[in-house]
């Protein structure tokens, strides 16, 4: 049956007993279908016979597990498939164990070994399950009574992890747990009522050019306030922009179907920064809201400044933010058309070749030597050349007969117009540079002022949205489209987004990078988007922040603290929680035996059972943070101190310090001895502290090679205004801690990242599985952290994303 095609496989699967709908689903996945076909061949030497539903379900699970199995191990999979068919493997728990057995043992795998590894022959009765559940609930009675019915998911997880129930049918757990919980707590009452969450407004349907979170945020700011009110709400409808000729609009609407078309047109000469996130959200989000499309267009008209790394980074950031461009285009795609339009300008006597120097052009525009404007404007001496001469000179430019600076093509506009964007702007200049896409074909390159509006026209952009710095350019934009009689998009301008306390200038950031003050363009202290990404800020948090600010025509200057607070609120609802100890000191519980070991089930986020749980080992040795201990007790201090009872998070009994030892040279406490109060009635402590067990055999603690704490890079709120901004660097902008440890739950968080929480999918952006910056969590009482890209299989490096919100009422 090897080498069968999809149609033949479908017949085989139906013969095994799979329903027609399930077969249709399976054959869509080529790897899965191939694996299931091989398994069917392994278990059927003769005519294929229908199998029991439980058996075919387990075979399907085996196919999913082994669809990527290598050729060396595939022959031993037959041991597992045969065990399923003959009834030895009855559950997915057994199947997982059996499959792991052959992966580990390979050619040494045997039927007997598989039986032992997967619990074949071990029968767990309902009575055994009920007895184990009864004991578990008795052992955790205090916590269950405190959490009541909202703790049932935790009980289920805890029971599933009981070693004596490993091979029990999971279907027996819930009935036994429900009966025991009811007996302990009684029927549900008002304490168990769950407050209904307010319904969120329906999000706009996703379109091909939209990010999931471009129209939905985790804040109270709704879609309508950003895209249908204010600046964006006041924009014209597609087709509402007037044209010099009616037929131009008719052709445009025929091409677009009357839909909104926008574009995000960055120059590939540097890395995007936080301000660009607003431009991305505005252009992609507005198009998506109106069921339109948005281009990603690289404005690659200056080959001297463009590098491949910038093209790649820009595309990656747009996709990371969750957006899918309608098309990725380049201004260079249209160089031939732009050249023809330039000749059209000349033939209409609306452009001329100028041989003036840059200084002469400034003087003719009324700009004095000190840079001030207001002088008399005079026409260039070449302005009245004949059309024939201008055409020939322009072709001479094209053919490489001039060096850079010797000739430019200028538009013949209106020197009497008060708008400097109408003072005969340059359309083409000579550049002896190889272009990354067109090679050495061109010796001349169009300017932004000539290219931008014409490419908008060629791509049938309905809304050319840009920042207010281009407000004066609107007149020249419209003039040029009308001059060559092409469709005229409508340019509209909104306010920029700026962050105080940092620099966004490419030139200034380059200095920081080149002098080694920061780690690179993606240093987490910078507000480049690659830096913000590396710092661990989720893409959804950035778009949520932009949505909160809204879109107006005023520039927005936001303090770093406000941005971080927005990120903090976003992370609060979307990250799991772990215990971390930055400066560990050992605590020995003298009344527990050396080999004492318990495991406690802990939720990744209290009150959010959908985020799951994990287990923590508890032994007679554990670590606490040095800041959680004082050598002398006092009335206003509630953490560890001699004679004082303190709670350990998620541990059923308190501990009480009995003694401690110090290093005679440093004076630091090196060891704390305490009593585990499991021999006295429980009394709720005034505070709980975090801890991590010293249990190497259980993988605890996990050591952190570097814990990087980031603060503001500059001392002042306006470093750009400093006489020398490099002298304004904050020496404490990065603090590295090398002593920190964390609980073993970090491994599970890493495996599950990027963490997707039900209800948050629509504001999570687009992050790839395995992205280290997507491994985020809240370290209790410390802050929010992510893994840095310097993390390897042998070392863990963590970045602090933001600190926790200050709580002035907390006793320290």
């Amino acid at each position: 049956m090897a080498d069968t095609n999809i149609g033949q496989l479908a017949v085989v699967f139906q013969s095994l007993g799979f329903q027609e709908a399930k077969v249709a689903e399976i054959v869509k996945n080529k790897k899965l279908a191939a694996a299931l076909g091989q398994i069917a061949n392994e278990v059927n030497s003769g005519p294929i016979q229908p199998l029991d539903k439980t058996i075919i379900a387990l075979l399907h699970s085996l196919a999913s597990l082994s669809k990527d199995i290598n050729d060396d191990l595939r022959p031993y999979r037959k041991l597992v498939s045969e065990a399923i068919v003959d009834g030895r493997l009855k559950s997915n728990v057994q199947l997982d164990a059996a499959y792991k057995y052959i992966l580990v043992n390979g050619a040494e795998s045997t039927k007997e070994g598989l039986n032992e590894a997967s619990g074949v022959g071990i029968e767990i009765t309902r009575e055994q399950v009920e007895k184990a559940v009864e004991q578990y609930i008795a052992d955790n009675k205090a916590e269950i009574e405190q959490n009541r019915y909202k703790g049932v998911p935790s009980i289920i997880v805890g029971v599933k992890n009981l070693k004596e129930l490993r091979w029990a049918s999971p279907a027996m757990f819930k009935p036994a747990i429900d009966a025991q919980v009811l007996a302990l707590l009684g029927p549900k009452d008002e304490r168990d009522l769950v407050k209904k969450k307010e319904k969120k407004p329906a999000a706009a349907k996703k379109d091909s050019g939209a990010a999931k979170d471009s129209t939905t945020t985790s804040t109270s700011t709704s879609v309508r306030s950003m895209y249908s009110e204010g600046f964006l709400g006041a924009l014209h409808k597609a087709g509402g922009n007037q044209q010099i000729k009616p037929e131009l609009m008719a052709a445009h609407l025929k091409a677009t179907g009357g839909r909104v078309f926008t574009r995000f047109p960055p120059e590939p000469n540097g890395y995007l920064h936080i301000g660009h996130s607003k431009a991305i959200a505005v252009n992609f989000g507005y198009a998506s809201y109106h069921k339109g499309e948005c281009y990603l267009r690289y404005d690659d008209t200056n080959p001297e400044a463009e590098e491949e790394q910038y093209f790649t980074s820009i595309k990656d950031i747009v996709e990371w933010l969750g957006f899918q461009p309608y098309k990725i285009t380049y201004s260079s795609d249209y160089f031939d058309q732009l050249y023809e339009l330039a000749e059209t300008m000349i033939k209409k006597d609306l452009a001329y070749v100028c041989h003036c120097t840059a200084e002469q052009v400034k003087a003719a525009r009324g700009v004095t030597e000190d840079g001030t404007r207001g002088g008399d404007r005079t026409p260039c001496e070449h302005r009245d050349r004949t059309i024939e001469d201008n055409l020939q000179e322009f072709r001479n430019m094209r053919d490489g007969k001039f060096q850079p600076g010797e000739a430019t093509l200028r538009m013949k506009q209106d020197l009497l117009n008060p708008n400097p964007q109408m003072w005969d702007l340059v359309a083409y200049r000579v550049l002896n540079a190889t272009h990354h896409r067109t090679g050495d074909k061109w010796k001349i390159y169009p300017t932004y002022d000539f290219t931008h509006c014409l490419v908008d026209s060629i791509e049938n952009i309905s809304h050319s949205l840009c920042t207010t710095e281009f407000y004066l350019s609107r007149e020249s934009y419209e003039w040029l489209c009308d001059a060559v009689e092409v469709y005229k998009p409508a340019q509209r301008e909104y306010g920029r987004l700026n962050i105080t306390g940092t620099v966004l200038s490419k030139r200034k950031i380059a200095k920081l990078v080149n002098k080694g003050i920061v780690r690179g363009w993606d240093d987490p202290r910078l507000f480049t988007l690659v830096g913000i990404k590396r710092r661990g800020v989720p893409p959804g948090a950035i778009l949520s922040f932009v949505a909160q600010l809204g879109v107006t025509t005023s520039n927005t200057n936001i303090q770093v603290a406000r941005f971080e607070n927005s990120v903090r609120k976003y992370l609060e609802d979307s990250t799991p929680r772990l215990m971390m100890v930055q400066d560990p000191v050992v605590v020995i519980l003298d009344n527990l035996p050396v080999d004492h070991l318990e495991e406690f089930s802990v939720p990744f986020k209290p009150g959010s059972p959908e985020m799951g749980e994990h287990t923590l080992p508890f032994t007679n040795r554990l670590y606490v943070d040095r800041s959680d201990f004082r050598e002398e007790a006092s009335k206003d201090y509630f953490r560890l101190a001699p004679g004082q009872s303190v709670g350990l998070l998620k541990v059923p009994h308190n501990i009480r310090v009995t003694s401690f030892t110090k290093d005679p040279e440093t004076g630091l406490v090196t060891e704390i001895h305490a009593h585990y109060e499991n021999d006295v009635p429980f009394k709720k402590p005034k505070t709980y502290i975090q801890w991590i067990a010293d249990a190497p055999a259980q993988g605890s603690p996990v050591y952190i090679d570097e814990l990087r704490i980031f603060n503001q890079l500059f001392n002042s709120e306006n470093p750009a205004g400093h006489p020398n901004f490099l002298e304004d660097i904050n020496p404490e902008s990065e603090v590295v801690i090398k002593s920190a440890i964390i609980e073993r739950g970090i491994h599970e968080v890493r495996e599950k990242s990027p963490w997707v929480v039900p209800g948050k999918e629509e504001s999570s952006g687009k992050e790839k599985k395995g992205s280290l910056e997507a491994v985020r969590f809240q370290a209790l009482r410390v802050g929010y952290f992510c893994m840095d890209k310097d993390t390897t299989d042998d070392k863990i490096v963590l970045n602090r994303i933001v600190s926790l919100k200050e709580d002035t009422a907390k006793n320290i």
Side-chain angles (χ1 to χ4, degrees), residues 282-303:
V282 165
N283 281 287
F284 281 93
Y286 184 77
S288 173
Y289 183 81
H290 291 283
K291 299 180 174 59
E293 306 287 0
C294 181
Y295 286 84
L296 168 58
R297 183 205 306 153
Y298 294 108
D299 183 26
D300 57 341
T301 57
N302 184 8

Side-chain angles (χ1 to χ4, degrees), residues 288-360:
S288 173
Y289 183 81
H290 291 283
K291 299 180 174 59
E293 306 287 0
C294 181
Y295 286 84
L296 168 58
R297 183 205 306 153
Y298 294 108
D299 183 26
D300 57 341
T301 57
N302 184 8
E304 293 178 326
E306 295 155 6
E307 296 182 28
E308 184 60 35
Q309 60 176 320
Y310 303 136
F311 288 89
T312 302
S313 174
I314 289 168
K315 177 178 179 292
D316 288 347
I317 286 296
V318 168
E319 292 181 345
W320 175 68
L321 284 171
F323 298 105
Q324 187 60 48
Y326 168 62
K327 288 181 182 178
I328 296 177
T329 60
Y330 303 78
S331 292
S332 56
D333 292 340
Y334 310 104
F335 276 177
D336 289 320
Q337 289 169 268
L338 292 172
Y339 178 83
E340 294 300 323
L341 288 170
E343 286 209 350
T344 298
M345 291 276 290
I346 295 171
K347 292 172 183 177
K348 296 180 69 172
D349 198 21
L350 291 173
Y352 61 96
V353 174
C354 170
H355 297 286
C356 296
T357 64
E359 291 73 20
Q360 289 173 324

Side-chain angles (χ1 to χ4, degrees), residues 61 222 277 296 794:
S61 297
S222 68
S277 67
L296 168 58
D794 301 321

Side-chain angles (χ1 to χ4, degrees), residues 54 85 126 138 160 164 281 286 316 413 427 450 535 559 562 667 711 730 752 765 773 810-811:
T54 301
V85 173
R126 189 175 301 277
K160 284 182 178 179
E164 63 266 34
Y286 184 77
D316 288 347
Q413 296 173 287
F450 185 78
R535 184 171 170 178
Q559 289 186 315
R562 183 175 174 187
N711 300 303
N730 172 15
K752 289 184 176 180
E773 71 277 354
K810 183 169 64 178
N811 292 304

Side-chain angles (χ1 to χ4, degrees), residues 563-580:
F563 172 72
E564 291 185 344
N565 191 50
S566 178
V567 173
R568 186 179 293 112
K569 289 180 179 178
Y570 187 93
L571 291 169
E572 183 178 355
D573 296 328
S574 60
T575 52
R577 298 180 182 181
L578 299 173
M579 290 192 286
M580 175 196 288

Side-chain angles (χ1 to χ4, degrees), residues 588-603:
I588 301 174
L589 303 177
D590 294 319
N591 61 322
L592 292 181
V594 174
D595 61 352
H596 181 83
L597 175 63
E598 294 181 68
E599 287 197 339
F600 299 122
S601 184
V602 179

Side-chain angles (χ1 to χ4, degrees), residues 503 508 511-512 515 517 714 716 718-729:
V503 293
K508 287 184 167 63
K511 283 188 177 181
L512 294 171
K515 290 182 177 293
I517 296 172
F714 297 95
S716 68
N718 184 24
H722 197 280
N724 181 357
F725 78 102
L726 295 178
E727 295 177 357
D728 192 35
I729 299 293

